[in-house]
Amino acid sequence: VNWLVATITFFIGVLLGWLLPALQKISVASTVDAGNVLNVIATLAVAAAINVVLTKQVSTRQALTDVLREHLGEVLTSLRAVQHAARPCYAGHRLTPDEQAELSLIERELSNSLHSFEQALVWCKVEPIDIDLDKAKRAREALKKALTDTPFPGPYSPSDRAQISTTIKAFRDEITRLSVEVRSR
Amino acid sequence: MTTGVVGLKILEFTRTPGPRKKNEGHGSGEEFLEAYLLPRFLEAQRSGSTLHVDLNGAAGFPTSFLEEAFGGLAREFGSNVVETVLTVTCEDEPYVEDEVRRYVQEAAKPR
Protein backbone atom coordinates (compact mmCIF):
# COMPACT_ATOMS: atom_id res chain seq x y z
CA VAL A 1 0.00 0.00 0.00
CA ASN A 2 2.82 2.42 0.89
CA TRP A 3 4.57 1.84 -2.43
CA LEU A 4 1.30 2.31 -4.30
CA VAL A 5 0.68 5.64 -2.54
CA ALA A 6 4.26 6.72 -3.23
CA THR A 7 3.94 5.83 -6.94
CA ILE A 8 0.62 7.62 -7.34
CA THR A 9 2.01 10.66 -5.52
CA PHE A 10 5.02 10.66 -7.85
CA PHE A 11 2.88 10.64 -10.98
CA ILE A 12 0.59 13.35 -9.58
CA GLY A 13 3.74 15.44 -8.98
CA VAL A 14 4.96 14.88 -12.52
CA LEU A 15 1.53 15.75 -13.90
CA LEU A 16 1.31 18.94 -11.84
CA GLY A 17 4.85 19.89 -12.83
CA TRP A 18 3.82 19.58 -16.47
CA LEU A 19 0.38 21.16 -16.18
CA LEU A 20 0.95 24.12 -13.85
CA PRO A 21 3.51 25.96 -16.04
CA ALA A 22 1.19 25.45 -19.03
CA LEU A 23 -1.85 26.74 -17.15
CA GLN A 24 0.02 29.76 -15.79
CA LYS A 25 1.48 30.43 -19.24
CA ILE A 26 5.02 30.08 -18.01
CA SER A 27 7.45 29.47 -20.84
CA VAL A 28 9.81 26.55 -20.46
CA ALA A 29 13.27 26.89 -21.94
CA SER A 30 14.28 24.06 -24.27
CA THR A 31 17.95 24.23 -23.26
CA VAL A 32 19.36 22.02 -20.51
CA ASP A 33 21.13 23.64 -17.58
CA ALA A 34 23.59 21.23 -15.90
CA GLY A 35 23.15 22.93 -12.51
CA ASN A 36 19.38 22.53 -12.64
CA VAL A 37 19.69 18.90 -13.72
CA LEU A 38 21.93 18.20 -10.73
CA ASN A 39 19.44 20.03 -8.54
CA VAL A 40 16.60 17.84 -9.81
CA ILE A 41 18.64 14.66 -9.31
CA ALA A 42 19.56 15.67 -5.77
CA THR A 43 15.95 16.51 -4.95
CA LEU A 44 14.75 13.17 -6.34
CA ALA A 45 17.44 11.31 -4.37
CA VAL A 46 16.43 13.03 -1.12
CA ALA A 47 12.74 12.33 -1.83
CA ALA A 48 13.51 8.66 -2.52
CA ALA A 49 15.59 8.37 0.66
CA ILE A 50 12.81 9.95 2.75
CA ASN A 51 10.33 7.55 1.20
CA VAL A 52 12.50 4.52 2.01
CA VAL A 53 13.03 5.66 5.60
CA LEU A 54 9.34 6.42 6.16
CA THR A 55 8.27 3.12 4.61
CA LYS A 56 10.69 1.25 6.85
CA GLN A 57 9.42 3.10 9.92
CA VAL A 58 5.80 2.36 9.03
CA SER A 59 6.63 -1.33 8.47
CA THR A 60 8.45 -1.60 11.81
CA ARG A 61 5.59 0.13 13.63
CA GLN A 62 3.08 -2.20 11.98
CA ALA A 63 5.15 -5.25 12.98
CA LEU A 64 5.28 -4.07 16.61
CA THR A 65 1.54 -3.39 16.58
CA ASP A 66 0.99 -6.94 15.28
CA VAL A 67 3.12 -8.34 18.15
CA LEU A 68 1.10 -6.41 20.74
CA ARG A 69 -2.22 -7.42 19.17
CA GLU A 70 -1.12 -11.06 19.18
CA HIS A 71 -0.40 -10.83 22.92
CA LEU A 72 -3.77 -9.21 23.60
CA GLY A 73 -5.37 -12.07 21.66
CA GLU A 74 -3.70 -14.51 24.06
CA VAL A 75 -5.01 -12.55 27.04
CA LEU A 76 -8.53 -12.83 25.64
CA THR A 77 -8.08 -16.57 25.07
CA SER A 78 -6.96 -16.95 28.71
CA LEU A 79 -9.93 -14.89 29.86
CA ARG A 80 -12.29 -17.25 28.03
CA ALA A 81 -10.61 -20.18 29.81
CA VAL A 82 -11.07 -18.44 33.17
CA GLN A 83 -14.73 -17.84 32.36
CA HIS A 84 -15.08 -21.55 31.65
CA ALA A 85 -13.18 -22.60 34.80
CA ALA A 86 -15.41 -20.29 36.88
CA ARG A 87 -18.60 -22.06 35.82
CA PRO A 88 -18.60 -24.33 38.92
CA CYS A 89 -18.70 -21.19 41.11
CA TYR A 90 -22.48 -21.17 41.05
CA ALA A 91 -24.62 -20.33 44.05
CA GLY A 92 -24.55 -22.94 46.80
CA HIS A 93 -21.78 -25.05 45.25
CA ARG A 94 -18.47 -25.80 46.97
CA LEU A 95 -15.54 -26.37 44.60
CA THR A 96 -13.94 -29.81 44.66
CA PRO A 97 -10.14 -29.94 45.16
CA ASP A 98 -9.76 -30.56 41.40
CA GLU A 99 -11.95 -27.55 40.56
CA GLN A 100 -9.97 -25.38 43.00
CA ALA A 101 -6.65 -26.38 41.46
CA GLU A 102 -8.01 -25.90 37.93
CA LEU A 103 -9.29 -22.41 38.75
CA SER A 104 -5.98 -21.35 40.30
CA LEU A 105 -4.00 -22.74 37.39
CA ILE A 106 -6.16 -21.12 34.72
CA GLU A 107 -6.15 -17.81 36.57
CA ARG A 108 -2.35 -18.00 36.60
CA GLU A 109 -2.37 -18.32 32.81
CA LEU A 110 -4.43 -15.14 32.59
CA SER A 111 -2.02 -13.38 34.95
CA ASN A 112 0.98 -14.50 32.93
CA SER A 113 -0.56 -13.60 29.58
CA LEU A 114 -1.08 -10.04 30.82
CA HIS A 115 2.48 -10.00 32.16
CA SER A 116 3.77 -11.12 28.75
CA PHE A 117 1.86 -8.23 27.17
CA GLU A 118 3.54 -5.88 29.66
CA GLN A 119 6.93 -7.30 28.66
CA ALA A 120 6.05 -6.84 24.99
CA LEU A 121 5.30 -3.16 25.69
CA VAL A 122 8.77 -2.79 27.21
CA TRP A 123 10.49 -4.54 24.30
CA CYS A 124 8.49 -2.52 21.77
CA LYS A 125 9.53 0.64 23.69
CA VAL A 126 5.93 1.77 24.13
CA GLU A 127 5.61 4.63 26.60
CA PRO A 128 3.18 4.15 29.54
CA ILE A 129 1.53 7.39 28.41
CA ASP A 130 0.53 5.69 25.12
CA ILE A 131 -0.82 2.49 26.69
CA ASP A 132 -2.35 2.64 30.18
CA LEU A 133 -1.80 -0.88 31.53
CA ASP A 134 -2.39 -0.14 35.21
CA LYS A 135 -6.18 -0.10 34.87
CA ALA A 136 -6.10 -3.50 33.19
CA LYS A 137 -3.82 -4.87 35.92
CA ARG A 138 -6.21 -3.63 38.60
CA ALA A 139 -9.14 -5.19 36.72
CA ARG A 140 -7.26 -8.51 36.58
CA GLU A 141 -6.61 -8.38 40.33
CA ALA A 142 -10.28 -7.61 41.01
CA LEU A 143 -11.23 -10.63 38.89
CA LYS A 144 -8.77 -12.86 40.75
CA LYS A 145 -10.12 -11.61 44.05
CA ALA A 146 -13.71 -12.31 43.02
CA LEU A 147 -12.72 -15.84 42.00
CA THR A 148 -10.34 -16.91 44.77
CA ASP A 149 -10.78 -14.68 47.82
CA THR A 150 -13.33 -15.53 50.53
CA PRO A 151 -15.68 -17.43 50.12
CA PHE A 152 -13.28 -19.52 47.97
CA PRO A 153 -13.66 -22.51 47.68
CA GLY A 154 -17.34 -21.92 48.27
CA PRO A 155 -20.18 -22.28 48.72
CA TYR A 156 -20.75 -19.14 46.66
CA SER A 157 -23.73 -16.85 47.11
CA PRO A 158 -25.69 -15.34 44.20
CA SER A 159 -23.97 -11.99 44.84
CA ASP A 160 -20.54 -13.70 44.70
CA ARG A 161 -21.52 -15.15 41.33
CA ALA A 162 -22.70 -11.74 40.15
CA GLN A 163 -19.41 -10.21 41.29
CA ILE A 164 -17.47 -12.78 39.24
CA SER A 165 -19.52 -11.94 36.13
CA THR A 166 -19.06 -8.20 36.71
CA THR A 167 -15.29 -8.46 37.08
CA ILE A 168 -14.97 -10.70 34.01
CA LYS A 169 -16.83 -8.09 31.97
CA ALA A 170 -14.75 -5.25 33.44
CA PHE A 171 -11.53 -7.04 32.51
CA ARG A 172 -12.76 -7.80 28.99
CA ASP A 173 -13.64 -4.11 28.57
CA GLU A 174 -10.10 -3.21 29.63
CA ILE A 175 -8.63 -5.53 27.01
CA THR A 176 -10.87 -3.92 24.39
CA ARG A 177 -9.61 -0.49 25.49
CA LEU A 178 -6.01 -1.71 25.25
CA SER A 179 -6.67 -3.06 21.73
CA VAL A 180 -7.96 0.35 20.64
CA GLU A 181 -4.95 2.09 22.22
CA VAL A 182 -2.56 -0.31 20.49
CA ARG A 183 -4.20 0.31 17.12
CA SER A 184 -4.37 4.08 17.46
CA ARG A 185 -0.98 4.81 19.02
CA MET B 1 21.29 -4.74 58.53
CA THR B 2 20.76 -8.44 57.80
CA THR B 3 23.58 -10.98 57.85
CA GLY B 4 22.22 -14.11 56.18
CA VAL B 5 19.30 -15.75 54.45
CA VAL B 6 16.74 -18.19 55.83
CA GLY B 7 14.98 -19.99 53.00
CA LEU B 8 11.46 -21.35 52.64
CA LYS B 9 10.03 -23.06 49.58
CA ILE B 10 6.30 -23.36 49.06
CA LEU B 11 6.90 -26.93 47.84
CA GLU B 12 7.88 -27.88 51.39
CA PHE B 13 4.24 -27.26 52.24
CA THR B 14 2.15 -28.04 49.16
CA ARG B 15 2.02 -27.97 45.37
CA THR B 16 -1.61 -26.80 45.42
CA PRO B 17 -2.16 -23.84 47.76
CA GLY B 18 -5.77 -23.75 48.87
CA PRO B 19 -8.24 -21.69 50.87
CA ARG B 20 -7.84 -19.15 53.66
CA LYS B 21 -8.61 -21.17 56.81
CA LYS B 22 -7.70 -24.70 57.89
CA ASN B 23 -11.35 -25.68 58.27
CA GLU B 24 -11.99 -24.73 54.61
CA GLY B 25 -9.75 -27.39 53.12
CA HIS B 26 -6.26 -28.71 52.43
CA GLY B 27 -3.25 -26.43 51.91
CA SER B 28 -4.70 -23.36 53.62
CA GLY B 29 -2.95 -20.04 54.11
CA GLU B 30 -3.55 -20.31 57.83
CA GLU B 31 -1.76 -23.66 58.03
CA PHE B 32 1.14 -22.40 55.91
CA LEU B 33 1.45 -19.36 58.16
CA GLU B 34 1.41 -21.32 61.41
CA ALA B 35 3.50 -24.33 60.41
CA TYR B 36 6.07 -22.79 58.06
CA LEU B 37 6.04 -19.03 57.58
CA LEU B 38 5.86 -17.92 61.20
CA PRO B 39 8.61 -20.27 62.55
CA ARG B 40 10.99 -19.36 59.69
CA PHE B 41 10.22 -15.69 60.12
CA LEU B 42 11.08 -15.91 63.82
CA GLU B 43 14.26 -17.83 62.98
CA ALA B 44 15.27 -15.14 60.49
CA GLN B 45 14.46 -12.37 62.94
CA ARG B 46 16.45 -13.99 65.76
CA SER B 47 19.52 -14.45 63.56
CA GLY B 48 19.24 -11.05 61.92
CA SER B 49 18.72 -12.71 58.54
CA THR B 50 16.43 -12.18 55.58
CA LEU B 51 13.60 -14.67 55.08
CA HIS B 52 13.47 -15.60 51.41
CA VAL B 53 10.25 -17.34 50.36
CA ASP B 54 10.40 -19.17 47.03
CA LEU B 55 6.89 -19.55 45.61
CA ASN B 56 7.96 -21.38 42.45
CA GLY B 57 6.63 -24.82 41.66
CA ALA B 58 3.07 -24.48 42.97
CA ALA B 59 0.01 -24.60 40.73
CA GLY B 60 -1.29 -21.06 41.27
CA PHE B 61 -2.11 -19.02 44.36
CA PRO B 62 -5.65 -18.19 45.46
CA THR B 63 -6.00 -14.66 46.83
CA SER B 64 -7.34 -16.06 50.11
CA PHE B 65 -4.21 -18.18 50.61
CA LEU B 66 -1.77 -15.32 49.94
CA GLU B 67 -3.67 -12.80 52.03
CA GLU B 68 -4.08 -15.11 55.01
CA ALA B 69 -0.43 -16.19 54.98
CA PHE B 70 1.44 -12.97 54.20
CA GLY B 71 -1.20 -10.51 55.40
CA GLY B 72 -1.48 -12.63 58.54
CA LEU B 73 2.27 -12.37 59.08
CA ALA B 74 2.09 -8.59 58.77
CA ARG B 75 -0.86 -8.44 61.17
CA GLU B 76 1.31 -10.33 63.67
CA PHE B 77 4.53 -8.32 63.34
CA GLY B 78 3.54 -5.12 61.55
CA SER B 79 3.99 -4.27 57.88
CA ASN B 80 7.26 -2.39 58.34
CA VAL B 81 8.98 -5.23 60.21
CA VAL B 82 7.82 -7.83 57.69
CA GLU B 83 8.94 -5.69 54.74
CA THR B 84 12.40 -5.44 56.29
CA VAL B 85 12.83 -9.20 56.80
CA LEU B 86 10.81 -10.82 53.98
CA THR B 87 11.65 -11.27 50.30
CA VAL B 88 9.51 -13.28 47.89
CA THR B 89 10.21 -14.63 44.42
CA CYS B 90 7.85 -16.27 41.96
CA GLU B 91 9.19 -16.47 38.41
CA ASP B 92 6.30 -18.83 37.62
CA GLU B 93 3.86 -15.93 38.06
CA PRO B 94 5.60 -12.56 38.41
CA TYR B 95 2.48 -10.60 39.45
CA VAL B 96 2.25 -12.75 42.62
CA GLU B 97 5.28 -10.89 44.02
CA ASP B 98 3.36 -7.59 43.72
CA GLU B 99 0.28 -9.17 45.29
CA VAL B 100 2.25 -10.42 48.31
CA ARG B 101 3.86 -7.00 48.74
CA ARG B 102 0.44 -5.33 48.71
CA TYR B 103 -1.11 -7.80 51.18
CA VAL B 104 1.76 -7.09 53.57
CA GLN B 105 1.33 -3.32 53.17
CA GLU B 106 -2.45 -3.44 53.51
CA ALA B 107 -2.54 -5.99 56.33
CA ALA B 108 -3.32 -3.46 59.02
CA LYS B 109 -6.48 -2.34 57.22
CA PRO B 110 -9.66 -4.08 58.34
CA ARG B 111 -11.01 -6.58 55.78
Side-chain angles (χ1 to χ4, degrees):
Chain A
V1 173
N2 293 326
W3 282 106
L4 186 66
V5 170
T7 307
I8 291 171
T9 309
F10 174 77
F11 281 112
I12 289 173
V14 170
L15 196 64
L16 287 176
W18 179 67
L19 276 178
L20 284 178
L23 288 174
Q24 293 177 359
K25 297 191 172 102
I26 297 170
S27 61
V28 179
S30 55
T31 55
V32 176
D33 182 331
N36 284 341
V37 169
L38 282 176
N39 198 13
V40 167
I41 290 170
T43 305
L44 285 174
V46 169
I50 288 173
N51 189 40
V52 167
V53 169
L54 286 179
T55 303
K56 194 176 175 186
Q57 278 184 351
V58 168
S59 303
T60 305
R61 196 176 180 83
Q62 183 59 46
L64 295 180
T65 300
D66 289 347
V67 168
L68 295 176
R69 286 177 60 195
E70 196 176 312
H71 277 283
L72 283 177
E74 285 176 19
V75 176
L76 275 180
T77 302
S78 300
L79 179 62
R80 276 191 284 273
V82 165
Q83 199 167 9
H84 189 264
R87 284 167 73 182
C89 304
Y90 53 81
H93 179 65
R94 182 182 169 82
L95 299 181
T96 65
D98 282 350
E99 288 169 340
Q100 291 175 40
E102 174 77 358
L103 189 59
S104 288
L105 204 56
I106 299 288
E107 198 289 322
R108 161 175 286 183
E109 284 174 20
L110 178 66
S111 168
N112 283 345
S113 65
L114 190 64
H115 184 264
S116 293
F117 175 71
E118 185 173 11
Q119 289 303 303
L121 289 178
V122 173
W123 290 326
C124 293
K125 296 184 172 62
V126 176
E127 296 292 330
I129 199 167
D130 293 332
I131 307 282
D132 181 7
L133 189 63
D134 285 347
K135 276 175 72 181
K137 285 166 77 173
R138 284 196 295 274
R140 203 276 309 171
E141 286 173 24
L143 170 57
K144 177 175 181 178
K145 200 173 169 187
L147 288 169
T148 64
D149 202 351
T150 305
F152 177 84
Y156 292 86
S157 70
S159 68
D160 296 327
R161 178 70 240 187
Q163 183 65 14
I164 290 170
S165 298
T166 303
T167 51
I168 285 175
K169 182 191 179 304
F171 184 72
R172 188 186 293 111
D173 290 347
E174 277 304 305
I175 299 307
T176 304
R177 181 185 59 76
L178 286 176
S179 299
V180 172
E181 286 186 4
V182 164
R183 279 169 181 264
S184 60
R185 78 192 166 87
Chain B
M1 183 76 183
T2 55
T3 55
V5 177
V6 172
L8 171 58
K9 292 186 177 188
I10 188 68
L11 291 181
E12 295 174 38
F13 173 59
T14 183
R15 185 173 286 277
T16 52
R20 180 180 291 274
K21 299 291 184 185
K22 281 190 274 194
N23 62 8
E24 292 173 331
H26 167 77
S28 68
E30 185 182 27
E31 190 181 352
F32 178 63
L33 173 65
E34 289 175 2
Y36 291 84
L37 194 54
L38 208 57
R40 299 289 169 91
F41 186 84
L42 289 170
E43 183 188 336
Q45 239 193 350
R46 272 197 298 270
S47 60
S49 305
T50 296
L51 171 60
H52 180 73
V53 181
D54 180 356
L55 294 176
N56 291 298
F61 292 93
T63 298
S64 50
F65 175 90
L66 291 176
E67 204 290 324
E68 185 63 27
F70 295 97
L73 189 68
R75 279 188 284 277
E76 188 78 21
F77 294 93
S79 300
N80 291 340
V81 174
V82 171
E83 280 181 318
T84 310
V85 177
L86 181 74
T87 61
V88 172
T89 53
C90 186
E91 285 90 10
D92 289 350
E93 187 181 351
Y95 285 155
V96 161
E97 296 172 17
D98 297 336
E99 289 172 35
V100 168
R101 209 169 294 125
R102 200 173 42 264
Y103 296 142
V104 167
Q105 287 166 353
E106 294 179 352
K109 296 175 187 172
R111 292 180 61 78

